Amino acid sequence: MSLNPFFEPSTLDYELPPFAEIREEHYAPAFERGMADQLAEIAAITADPRPADFENTVVALERSGALLRRVVLVFFNQSGSDATAAVQELDAEISPRLAAHDDAIQLDQALFARLDTLHRQRETLGLDAQSLRLLERHHTRLVRAGARLGADEQRRLREINTELASGAAAFRKNLRAANKERAIVLDRAEELAGLSEDAVAAAAENGRALGLDGRYVLSLKNITNQPELAQLTDRALRERLLTAALGRAADTNGPLAIRLAGLRAERAALLGHPTFADHVIADETAGTVAAVEALLARVVAPAVANAERERAELAAAAAADGITDLGAHDWAYYAEKVQQSTYRLDASALRPYLELERVLQDGVFFAAGLAYGLTFTERTDLTAYHPDARTFEVFEADGTPLGLFLADFHARDTKRGGAWMNELVQQSELLGKRPVVVNNLNIAKPAPGEPALLSWDEVRTLFHEFGHALHGLFSAVRYPLFSGTEVPRDFVEFPSQVNEVWMTWPEVLANYARHHRTGEPLPAELLERLEAAGTFGQGFRTVEYLAAAVLDLAWHTVPAGVEIADAEEFEAAALAKAGLDVPGIPPRYRTTYFSHSFSDDYSAGYYAYLWSEVLDADTVEWFRSNGRSVRDSGEVFRAELLSRGGSRDALECFRAVVGREPDTTPLLARRGLL
């Protein structure tokens, strides 16, 4: 293993990991050495006979773990985007060991004593603002991790953290298996009546990729309401598809969710909080569970009222087809019909104008040039981690190199559902690193030689995830702890949601929305219908999101020691209590496939999308009406917020852009809730 590519920094441009050399067998030895090296580095800090100072303690802590950081960033990108059986096995083995490694550092009493001494002296150390914030954040992190607990409490905390890490890995593995097992396999193209030609071809290509040549496969997305439900004319198939989605991993992840929630509650109690949600939200911009509950409660009643009005329209359309029992599996289908009849807007008619490559180059990249002056050059000489992933070099307006952007857009059997951004190299002036970021989506791969045509929602996702990428690319901080998206969880979605504004910005939309065969622009009347549809369907979308946010909060506001007998019963009771047990609108995620809540770091934080949308909607109005050019506004947004990462208080960054406190009115107007 002397040739293990993780053992030395990459010599490639921007220190892009040397994917052409990395093999799965390199991970375990790199983790082993990386953890050992960092523990030795921490031991050197605590053994230093000199009095603690900022350089020999805080900066030394920031410099520690270079090898471990390299392998962690690469491995967990692969475990999400290309999780082979071997990678899943290593995930299950290494996740609890990494949790124990973190505990060994965060609960190191000698390290905490040095930080605590500096923290008490912080106002006399002469630190600049970013360095002072670094000291404060490290101190806060260790306190929140349990550094002040007694020996017995710390011992139990370590046990809990290890079991939580194992459970999260098991949740991921169970869900991947359930998604695969519950995929809908069909023998004839005719069974997919209603789907567009390209969608049928993609189902056939999916079948081929899964070793089912000649058959058609609808693989499950992580969300409840599968996109095909809006198009499939076969009602029985719609019901079959939704049933498959709703019942995923019930036997495995239901009991596991109960166990994970219980462990989190016990952990919070050890750390002095009444519930896990109280512990999490105390360190977010919301501050308190009560503040989150107040925002959600404000939106529930008008959202449900909107959804009931929508139901009446859909029921009338269904009755015309002889259906008197409108079900959850019918909702999207008849919403599409009502949209067509009322607004003469056919979602399938948009797809030919939304070809992936054009949306990327002439939409997403074009908008980044419009607002920030960026340009992009594909680097085919740089090998990515999977053949589907592409690498682009990003340049400033003056031609200065900025970083690398990797684009991995297509679904595959080894990729988890959903869409996300990862960092492969975190920007840091201290360590001399420039950013390398990746976006993962799950767009169905087209048949060879055919274009990938997108839905309107997939276009939105593309712009959204690139907003996260910009947050990483624009990072200009000194310390790794503050790099890119290292901000409060209920703030991190804000910049990505702002980036969605460009998908409908007239200059941008006109540039990318062109027919993939003829090059003709999106017809003006189709655009007018799209705009007229406006808030149509927002009742449904808001209710399904709120149901998931409330469900996440319910699981994590259960105090320690309270036993939950059945996950499905708990879920039903939580939704009923919140007034969100709306017939026909299941939560966007149910408990057993709620990865955000049980296997990712959004536990007690799924409310963040709505909380961030308050800031997002307000900022979009600022972009539209502040009197500056788009380019000048983009520079302000970049300089005051996107470049700051976690180096400044999040809401201070917002105020520096908009010039005032957040206003909820633009959010309520956007969602048709005024």
Side-chain angles (χ1 to χ4, degrees), residues 361-407:
Q361 299 281 356
D362 298 340
V364 173
F365 289 172
F366 176 77
L370 190 69
Y372 308 110
L374 300 184
T375 57
F376 301 80
T377 300
E378 187 158 10
R379 292 287 303 272
T380 56
D381 59 312
L382 294 176
T383 302
Y385 58 87
H386 189 277
D388 287 349
R390 301 161 64 189
T391 304
F392 297 86
E393 189 168 11
V394 188
F395 297 92
E396 301 276 18
D398 64 0
T400 302
L402 177 63
L404 293 179
F405 169 67
L406 278 69

Side-chain angles (χ1 to χ4, degrees), residues 37-152:
D37 284 359
Q38 188 171 28
L39 291 179
E41 290 161 348
I42 300 302
I45 294 172
T46 59
D48 191 332
R50 297 172 297 169
D53 63 30
F54 184 75
E55 286 294 326
N56 70 22
T57 301
V58 184
V59 172
L61 181 57
E62 281 291 277
R63 291 185 181 278
S64 72
L67 168 55
L68 185 59
R69 186 181 295 116
R70 285 197 294 272
V71 66
V72 161
L73 291 174
V74 173
F75 176 78
F76 284 104
N77 179 72
Q78 181 169 351
S79 73
S81 62
D82 191 22
T84 63
V87 166
Q88 291 186 63
E89 288 176 12
L90 184 55
D91 184 5
E93 175 191 339
I94 205 66
S95 289
R97 293 191 58 196
L98 288 172
H101 173 77
D102 288 343
D103 283 341
I105 296 172
Q106 293 172 337
L107 301 179
D108 186 312
Q109 292 304 292
L111 178 63
F112 180 68
R114 294 176 74 91
L115 282 170
D116 201 34
T117 297
L118 292 172
H119 189 258
R120 289 195 301 271
Q121 301 170 351
R122 63 190 182 280
E123 300 299 339
T124 66
L125 298 177
L127 301 176
D128 61 62
Q130 189 174 157
S131 297
L132 176 60
R133 183 168 173 81
L134 182 71
L135 170 57
E136 291 174 339
R137 288 306 301 164
H138 270 301
H139 187 265
T140 296
R141 283 159 63 94
L142 265 63
V143 170
R144 286 175 55 79
R148 285 187 168 144
L149 297 181
D152 289 343

Side-chain angles (χ1 to χ4, degrees), residues 644-660:
R644 300 299 184 111
S647 68
R648 186 166 72 175
D649 176 77
L651 290 180
E652 186 180 335
C653 291
F654 172 84
R655 288 189 289 268
V657 173
V658 179
R660 53 170 171 75

Side-chain angles (χ1 to χ4, degrees), residues 254-566:
L256 184 54
I258 292 172
R259 179 60 178 160
L260 291 172
L263 288 168
R264 287 169 178 169
E266 184 184 354
R267 183 177 187 274
L270 282 171
L271 295 169
H273 294 274
T275 72
F276 183 73
D278 287 287
H279 171 67
V280 169
I281 296 172
D283 201 40
E284 305 292 346
T285 66
T288 66
V289 171
V292 174
E293 290 176 336
L295 176 64
L296 297 178
R298 182 178 181 186
V299 177
V300 167
V304 171
N306 270 8
E308 293 300 341
R309 285 192 290 271
E310 291 170 11
R311 180 198 306 283
E313 290 186 79
L314 306 190
D321 286 346
I323 294 173
T324 57
D325 57 336
L326 184 78
H329 55 287
D330 298 315
W331 194 292
Y333 181 75
Y334 283 100
E336 180 69 16
K337 277 201 164 190
V338 169
Q339 185 171 259
Q340 289 181 29
S341 62
T342 303
Y343 302 102
R344 294 180 298 119
L345 182 62
D346 180 357
S348 62
L350 289 172
R351 292 176 66 90
Y353 297 90
L354 305 174
E355 191 268 322
L356 172 59
E357 188 66 14
R358 187 145 212 164
V359 175
L360 176 66
Q361 299 281 356
D362 298 340
V364 173
F365 289 172
F366 176 77
L370 190 69
Y372 308 110
L374 300 184
T375 57
F376 301 80
T377 300
E378 187 158 10
R379 292 287 303 272
T380 56
D381 59 312
L382 294 176
T383 302
Y385 58 87
H386 189 277
D388 287 349
R390 301 161 64 189
T391 304
F392 297 86
E393 189 168 11
V394 188
F395 297 92
E396 301 276 18
D398 64 0
T400 302
L402 177 63
L404 293 179
F405 169 67
L406 278 69
D408 185 359
F409 294 144
H410 291 299
R412 51 181 170 267
D413 193 35
T414 54
K415 183 187 282 192
R416 70 176 173 88
W420 65 96
M421 170 268 202
N422 281 337
E423 292 170 307
L424 294 173
V425 179
Q426 294 174 303
Q427 181 274 332
S428 164
E429 294 169 2
L430 177 70
L431 304 181
K433 308 287 187 184
R434 292 186 293 176
V436 178
V437 303
V438 54
N439 276 171
N440 265 281
L441 275 69
N442 267 279
I443 297 166
K445 196 168 188 178
E450 294 298 316
L453 304 182
L454 308 185
S455 69
W456 193 237
D457 280 346
E458 287 172 328
V459 173
R460 186 182 309 281
T461 300
L462 198 62
F463 277 88
H464 176 99
E465 294 304 329
F466 193 72
H468 286 305
L470 288 174
H471 206 174
L473 287 166
F474 284 150
S475 180
V477 300
R478 193 177 316 149
Y479 303 113
L481 186 68
F482 297 145
S483 183
T485 56
E486 296 294 332
V487 298
R489 179 56 58 196
D490 57 7
F491 190 81
V492 74
E493 295 298 335
F494 159 45
S496 56
Q497 289 173 184
V498 168
N499 205 61
E500 294 175 23
V501 70
W502 306 117
M503 69 182 286
T504 55
W505 199 268
E507 186 177 353
V508 178
L509 182 64
N511 201 56
Y512 75 80
R514 293 180 172 273
H515 197 283
H516 70 100
R517 296 196 191 283
T518 67
E520 290 296 313
L522 184 73
E525 63 272 17
L526 197 54
L527 176 58
E528 290 169 6
R529 293 176 210 155
L530 189 63
E531 293 171 343
T535 59
F536 176 78
Q538 279 292 350
F540 175 92
R541 288 190 286 273
T542 305
V543 167
E544 71 159 358
Y545 163 76
L546 288 171
V550 163
L551 185 58
D552 170 55
L553 206 60
W555 277 109
H556 296 112
T557 49
V558 176
V562 174
E563 293 188 7
I564 298 170
D566 181 84

